[in-house]
Amino acid sequence: YWNFVDAMAKRGDAEAAQEYAKKHDLIKTPGDRLRLLNQLMDVPTIADDRQHAEPILREMFDIGQTIDANPSSFAGRWDRYTAQRAATLAFQHGYTDLGVELYDKTPNRDQRPLLHAFSADMKPAQMTPVLMLAQDNLDGQRLQYVIDAGIRHLRGTTPPTGD
């Protein structure tokens, strides 16, 4: 059934994909719901439309917070960085303000989401909040990675994603 959900998502029909998953009882765990939401965010027509993407990203963040609170109770989860994936996706799709908001709310953070903030679409005024988040939440090598990514962005070279 997941193949049908994926096909509907790829067509950009998020509502049909979600209804089909619900009808066939595919969403049994928060991880299942997260899988569906990730499939939806893989579709450019959904991900590049903020009106559709923002509620998905916020739900991904909420589910990630639940999983991060006790990752060992979720099969296949061993780290506490699931929620920050929503911030990463927000940055990747150019929703810098949303990425900053979600990253700031995430109790378990590293540099990876911030590295994705430095996209070609990033406006100079958006650099300050990203660099301030890095300064306030990271230290050592992780902070240096973000600063380096910011410098590379200003120079017009491609920053490493750290993934």
Side-chain angles (χ1 to χ4, degrees):
Y1 292 115
W2 278 107
N3 289 334
F4 291 116
V5 171
D6 190 43
M8 289 177 209
K10 285 182 181 174
R11 283 196 330 253
D13 197 346
E15 190 173 309
Q18 293 185 69
E19 286 176 18
Y20 187 87
K22 185 177 181 181
K23 177 181 176 184
H24 292 283
D25 200 29
L26 299 178
I27 310 298
K28 296 177 182 160
T29 68
D32 293 336
R33 181 70 182 159
L34 194 58
R35 175 183 176 179
L36 173 61
L37 296 173
N38 272 300
Q39 282 180 299
L40 296 177
M41 285 303 296
D42 284 342
V43 179
T45 56
I46 295 171
D48 294 340
D49 179 348
R50 184 160 180 161
Q51 186 176 356
H52 289 102
E54 186 168 341
I56 293 170
L57 292 169
R58 289 186 183 282
E59 185 176 353
M60 290 174 77
F61 177 80
D62 292 341
I63 292 169
Q65 291 280 69
T66 300
I67 292 172
D68 290 350
N70 188 8
S72 62
S73 65
F74 295 92
R77 302 286 179 188
W78 56 270
D79 68 25
R80 295 181 181 266
Y81 295 102
T82 308
Q84 78 172 6
R85 172 102 170 102
T88 299
L89 288 170
F91 286 132
Q92 285 177 331
H93 292 285
Y95 310 130
T96 304
D97 59 323
L98 180 59
V100 166
E101 176 190 336
L102 296 177
Y103 183 86
D104 196 37
K105 290 180 182 178
T106 306
N108 305 308
R109 308 175 187 105
D110 63 18
Q111 78 282 358
R112 292 174 291 176
L114 298 178
L115 296 175
H116 291 279
F118 300 104
S119 67
D121 299 332
M122 182 184 226
K123 295 171 180 51
Q126 295 172 321
M127 283 189 78
T128 301
V130 172
L131 292 172
M132 292 303 296
L133 277 177
Q135 177 65 36
D136 292 346
N137 295 291
L138 304 171
D139 57 16
Q141 195 73 31
R142 291 178 173 189
L143 177 59
Q144 290 173 359
Y145 289 145
V146 177
I147 292 170
D148 181 64
I151 291 169
R152 287 175 183 267
H153 177 73
L154 289 171
R155 288 183 178 164
T157 59
T158 307
T161 62
D163 290 340

